C-alpha cells in the first residue's frame, strides 16, 4: 500500500488544478477522505481476518463496487458537499478508486480485488514503481519507511504537484484572457 499521507495527494492535486468553482472545498475534502477510506480495512488484522480474505486488506474496500458505494453516498449527500449529485458521485467514486490504483502501482502485497464480488482475484498494474509501505507505525519509522516516502515523492507527490501547478497556471491564463 502507499501511505495515508500519499493517498489524498492526487485528489488534492486534481481539485486544485480544476479550481474551487468546479470542485467546491467541501467536495475536495470529502474526496481526500474518500481516497484514504479503503485502508480502514487494516482493522481486519485486529479482527483475525486474513490479508487474502475478501474482507482482508486490499479486498472489498479496494473494489470498484466499494468506490461506487462511496460515490452513491456522495450523490445522496450532494447538497452538503456544495454541488450536484452527478458531480459528487463521480468525484467520490474516482477519489476512492484512486486509492486502489495507487496500491496497484506498488511492488508488494497481494494486489487489489478490483472486481470483488464477481472475482476475488487480486490485480496489480503492469508497472509498479512505488515501494510498498510496511503496515504498522513501528515498521514505518525505519529506513524502509524513508525509502517508501522517497519513492512516493518521486512517483506520486512530484506528478501531483506538477498537475496542480499546471492546472492553476492554465486556469489563471484563461482567466486573464477573459478580463
Amino acid at each position: 500500500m502507499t501511505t495515508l499521507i500519499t493517498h489524498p495527494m492526487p485528489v488534492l492535486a486534481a481539485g486544485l488544478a480544476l479550481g474551487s468553482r468546479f470542485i467546491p472545498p467541501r467536495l475536495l475534502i470529502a474526496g481526500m477522505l474518500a481516497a484514504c477510506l479503503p485502508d480502514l480495512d487494516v482493522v481486519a488484522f485486529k479482527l483475525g481476518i486474513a490479508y487474502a480474505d475478501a474482507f482482508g486488506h486490499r479486498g472489498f474496500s479496494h473494489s470498484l463496487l466499494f468506490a461506487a458505494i462511496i460515490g452513491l453516498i456522495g450523490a445522496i449527500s450532494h447538497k452538503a458537499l456544495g454541488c450536484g449529485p452527478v458531480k459528487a458521485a463521480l468525484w467520490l467514486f474516482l477519489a476512492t478508486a484512486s486509492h486502489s490504483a495507487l496500491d496497484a502501482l506498488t511492488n508488494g502485497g497481494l494486489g487489489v480485488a478490483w472486481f470483488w464480488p464477481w472475482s476475488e482475484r487480486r490485480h496489480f498494474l503492469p508497472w509498479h514503481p512505488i515501494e510498498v509501505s510496511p503496515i504498522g507505525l513501528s515498521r514505518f519509522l525505519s529506513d524502509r519507511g524513508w525509502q517508501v516516502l522517497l519513492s512516493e515523492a518521486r512517483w506520486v507527490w512530484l506528478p501531483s504537484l506538477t498537475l496542480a501547478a499546471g492546472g492553476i497556471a492554465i486556469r489563471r491564463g484563461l482567466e486573464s484572457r477573459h478580463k
Side-chain angles (χ1 to χ4, degrees), residues 10-134:
V11 177
L12 175 61
L16 292 174
L18 292 168
S20 61
R21 279 193 237 151
F22 191 75
I23 302 297
R26 284 179 279 165
L27 181 61
L28 177 60
I29 291 168
M32 292 171 64
L33 292 171
C36 296
L37 196 56
D39 272 346
L40 286 179
D41 66 4
V42 296
V43 171
F45 293 127
K46 299 282 187 198
L47 300 174
I49 298 171
Y51 186 130
D53 189 85
F55 291 96
H57 187 55
R58 291 188 177 179
F60 159 70
S61 68
H62 286 62
S63 70
L64 294 174
L65 174 63
F66 182 78
I69 291 167
I70 300 303
L72 179 61
I73 292 168
I76 292 166
S77 308
H78 71 95
K79 289 181 183 175
L81 297 172
C83 63
V86 174
K87 183 183 287 187
L90 185 60
W91 182 256
L92 292 183
F93 170 81
L94 292 172
T96 306
S98 75
H99 181 110
S100 302
L102 286 176
D103 280 359
L105 287 166
T106 64
N107 65 358
L110 298 179
V112 176
W114 272 318
F115 303 108
W116 186 91
W118 300 278
S119 170
E120 289 192 25
R121 183 169 175 243
R122 304 289 182 104
H123 301 270
F124 282 101
L125 290 170
W127 182 57
H128 30 86
I130 301 172
E131 293 287 326
V132 69
S133 178

